[in-house]
């Protein structure tokens, strides 16, 4: 097989997702086995693959020692040398698993019966002094059958952990990290300690991690009153979630609730990243799933039903698993993540005429979605934005008229602040309808807070630049078990974006103060990375210093990535690196939002990043397009998100609310003075900066102070 074909084969296998497993019943073992054996390198395959019908074994591989051939290939056979194709490790079938545990086993042909058109081969293999027989329509399948039976003897270890180790099996348990139960119940290992019935065919787990799951077994929710490990406040309470037993969600759900019908809901997305939505109704509840094709969408819908009704999850590697939010969890993580992603992408599609507008071109898409209860269907897109560039230093404005940072997630947060101002204005409105639809309510003493159960969810189409992205340039692979080098010095470092370019660099240990004249004379303007800014929002809140005059700190309830989600790297960048932060002012905390990827990871956006950034928020007629280099639109007009625009909204509210403010000051004379008067906010910010320095992660780089020293009539 030529190297190119092998590369293509591997690529095909590894883009295979749940959707491609639907037709894999027990006979699928053969399909996977053939794929695997055809791709095994000479090291892995020693003594395993069967002779091919044309007389040539796999290229560069030994043939098995069978009676009569002594393992020698044909004398004229000269294996061609070929380059090893890079790529993830292939999932292993029973034969490969057994070969790893007991290398060099000899498979012997015991008999061949049946007519020529339907032969039955019986192969034997001796393991630990015990003979195992396997039969099948080909020698290869008979060998696989024998290997499966041999593997079952390993399952009967008295010590379950030894069996796990020997078989390379990983058990994933979705625990509630706030649970009082630290230890897993003994019943977790029962599946291993009870030998499977001899005729159960073994089949690869759908996560492809090489784990072997007997078909015909799946977890069933326990009777009421059974002690449950996961304690999420979602009905119905149920046991730990288990692996999918090698079956995809559609198959499992069909066994639990036969005869379900799946409905096609919608199709959306750009040509290179189509998105289909399918739904299924189970026990009077409708569940939706999305994916790049209908089969995958169907599987996602089935998984949503399994999660909600039976608390069952497909196996996921640690790097792909969502990290639950500390505190109130109103939604199932994966269901919420997929819904938020779909809402933002659909809204962007609507705003760009189904992605046909020239301003649909983008590298990164971000948006904020608001939920007001447990029903994700009532979620609302608050804002969407794109962009990957920062302002050129020569275009900085000393009147607050230019946007410094046009990265999508930064623009999304500015749009959210603008939305919060609008909602406060609604609350103060004399119009009863506007007043009632405001998301704010009055605090007992001073100021305002969000109504109960109002949550904001940040979606970013890829990991934020800086610490979250620098160590995760590729999607988490099946074999990815998390960060292997968590203690390396580079982990967690503060980083800055570079002017007129993409990417980030670590902050210098000294000279973190930038000067106005220095930047104007040609020094590169440095802006903190998105990872660092989001970490800051997780301490001081997303509302900013001016909004904290009116409201308590507001935090994101979840951060959802459309691609490049790695649990270890994202959690470290978002909050884990400053976990030791102490002495925050009252009402400020270290927020630990839900972190999650989406089921249908977005394809990488090819081509050069556009120089523009777009933004939209609730109430806007259409997109605003900003030139990221100048921080203004192409006509030189300031953005509706610039400091000057937001400050003027703030001043109007400040005049109306002076008697109910959380911060009592006379009318400030400048934007800088107004910000500095938010003493508690700045105290929390200084505590954060000290936490970064104490952890040895660098110093926060500040913009020249002159750009904030403006007033509205200047």
């Amino acid at each position: 097989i030529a190297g190119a074909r092998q590369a293509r084969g591997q690529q095909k296998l590894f883009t295979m997702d749940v959707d491609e497993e639907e037709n894999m019943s027990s006979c699928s073992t053969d399909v996977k086995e053939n794929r695997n054996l055809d791709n095994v390198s000479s090291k892995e395959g020693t003594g395993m693959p069967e002779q091919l019908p044309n007389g040539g074994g796999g290229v560069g591989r030994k043939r098995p020692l069978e009676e009569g051939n002594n393992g020698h290939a044909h004398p004229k056979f000269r294996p061609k040398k070929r380059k090893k194709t890079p790529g993830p490790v292939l999932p292993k079938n029973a034969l490969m698993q057994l070969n790893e545990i007991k290398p060099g086993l000899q498979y012997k042909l015991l008999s061949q019966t049946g007519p020529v058109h339907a032969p039955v081969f019986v192969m034997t293999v001796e393991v630990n002094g015990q003979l195992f027989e396997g039969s099948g329509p080909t020698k290869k399948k008979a060998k696989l059958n024998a290997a499966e039976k041999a593997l079952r003897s390993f399952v009967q270890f008295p010590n379950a952990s030894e069996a796990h180790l020997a078989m390379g099996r990983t058990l994933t348990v979705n625990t509630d990290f706030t649970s009082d139960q630290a230890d897993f119940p003994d019943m977790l290992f029962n599946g291993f300690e009870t030998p499977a019935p001899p005729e159960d065919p073994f089949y690869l787990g759908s996560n492809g991690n090489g784990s072997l799951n007997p078909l015909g077994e799946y977890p069933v929710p326990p009777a009421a009153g059974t002690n449950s490990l996961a304690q999420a406040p979602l009905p119905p309470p149920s046991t730990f979630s288990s692996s999918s037993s090698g079956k995809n969600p559609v198959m499992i759900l069909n066994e639990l609730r036969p005869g379900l019908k799946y409905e096609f809901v919608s199709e959306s997305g750009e040509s290179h990243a189509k998105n289909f939505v399918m739904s299924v109704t189970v026990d009077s509840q409708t569940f939706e799933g999305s994916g790049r094709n209908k089969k995958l969408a169907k599987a996602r819908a089935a998984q949503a039903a399994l999660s909600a009704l039976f608390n069952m999850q497909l196996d996921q590697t640690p790097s792909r698993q969502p990290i639950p939010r500390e505190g109130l969890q109103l939604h199932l993580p994966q269901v919420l993540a997929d819904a938020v992603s779909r809402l933002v992408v659909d809204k962007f599609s609507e705003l760009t005429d189904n992605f046909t507008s020239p301003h649909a071109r983008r590298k990164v898409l971000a948006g904020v979605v608001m939920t007001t209860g447990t029903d994700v269907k009532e979620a609302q897109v608050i804002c969407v934005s794109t962009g990957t560039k920062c302002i050129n230093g020569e275009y900085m404005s000393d009147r607050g008229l230019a946007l410094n940072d046009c990265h999508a997630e930064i623009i999304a947060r500015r749009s959210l602040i603008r939305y919060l101002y609008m909602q406060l204005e609604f609350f103060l409105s004399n119009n009863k309808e506007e007043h009632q639809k405001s998301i704010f309510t009055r605090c007992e003493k001073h100021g305002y807070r969000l109504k109960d159960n109002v949550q904001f969810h940040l979606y970013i189409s890829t990991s934020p630049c800086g610490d979250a992205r620098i160590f995760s340039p590729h999607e988490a692979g099946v074999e990815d078990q998390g960060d292997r080098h968590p203690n390396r010095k580079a982990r967690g470092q503060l980083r800055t974006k570079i002017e007129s370019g993409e990417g980030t660099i670590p902050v210098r240990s000294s000279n973190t103060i930038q000067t106005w004249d220095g930047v104007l004379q040609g020094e590169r303007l440095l802006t903190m990375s998105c990872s660092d800014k989001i970490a800051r929002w997780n301490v001081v809140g997303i509302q900013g210093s001016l909004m904290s005059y009116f409201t308590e700190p507001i935090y994101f309830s979840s951060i959802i990535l459309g691609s490049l989600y790695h649990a270890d790297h994202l959690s470290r960048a978002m909050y884990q690196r400053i976990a030791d932060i102490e002495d925050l002012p009252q009402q400020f905390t270290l927020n630990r939002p839900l972190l999650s990827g989406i089921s249908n990871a977005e394809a990488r956006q090819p081509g050069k990043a556009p120089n523009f950034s777009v933004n939209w928020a609730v109430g806007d007629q259409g997109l605003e397009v900003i030139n990221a280099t100048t921080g203004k639109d192409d006509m030189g007009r300031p953005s509706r998100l610039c400091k000057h625009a937001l400050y003027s909204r703030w001043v109007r509210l400040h005049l109306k609310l002076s008697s109910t403010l959380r911060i009592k000051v006379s009318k400030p004379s400048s934007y800088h003075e107004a910000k500095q008067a938010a003493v508690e906010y700045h105290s929390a910010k200084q505590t954060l900066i000290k936490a970064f320095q104490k952890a040895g992660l660098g110093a926060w780089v500040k913009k020249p102070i002159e750009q904030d020293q403006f007033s509205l009539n200047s």
Side-chain angles (χ1 to χ4, degrees), residues 81-93:
K81 287 188 179 179
R82 63 181 178 192
K83 289 181 182 176
K84 271 192 177 181
T85 48
V89 182
L90 289 175
K92 306 178 181 76
N93 63 18

Side-chain angles (χ1 to χ4, degrees), residues 515-534:
T515 61
W516 185 266
D517 44 356
V519 170
L520 292 181
Q521 285 169 18
E523 270 189 35
R524 270 197 156 179
L525 181 67
L526 300 177
T527 304
M528 296 306 294
S529 73
C530 292
S531 290
D532 300 334
K533 287 187 175 184
I534 300 173

Side-chain angles (χ1 to χ4, degrees), residues 398-401 421 546 638-639 642-655 667-674 707-714:
D398 58 358
R399 292 192 296 143
L401 299 174
Y421 279 130
L546 293 184
S639 167
C642 71
K643 291 177 180 180
H644 194 281
L646 294 182
Y647 182 45
S648 60
R649 299 271 296 256
W650 179 85
V651 167
R652 288 201 300 274
L653 279 168
H654 185 261
L655 287 171
K667 185 184 175 186
S669 61
S670 71
Y671 178 73
H672 179 259
E673 190 180 304
Q707 67 169 3
D708 285 351
Q709 292 176 330
F710 66 89
S711 59
L712 289 181
N713 43 17
S714 59

Side-chain angles (χ1 to χ4, degrees), residues 235-250:
S238 179
T239 86
F240 60 90
S241 51
S242 165
S243 85
S244 65
S245 308
K247 301 181 182 183
N248 75 41
V250 175

Side-chain angles (χ1 to χ4, degrees), residues 36-72:
N36 291 340
L37 292 184
D38 288 346
N39 286 291
V40 176
S41 69
S42 56
K43 285 183 184 175
E44 291 174 336
T46 307
M48 286 167 47
E50 180 58 37
Q51 181 179 3
L52 299 175
N54 63 5
V59 179
R61 296 176 294 189
K62 286 185 183 177
R63 289 165 61 199
L65 289 167
E66 285 180 16
E67 289 179 340
N69 71 357
N70 295 324
H72 297 302

Side-chain angles (χ1 to χ4, degrees), residues 500-518:
S500 306
E502 292 181 76
T504 59
I505 53 173
V507 294
R508 295 192 293 267
S509 53
S510 59
N511 193 23
T512 56
I513 297 171
Q514 302 184 88
T515 61
W516 185 266
D517 44 356

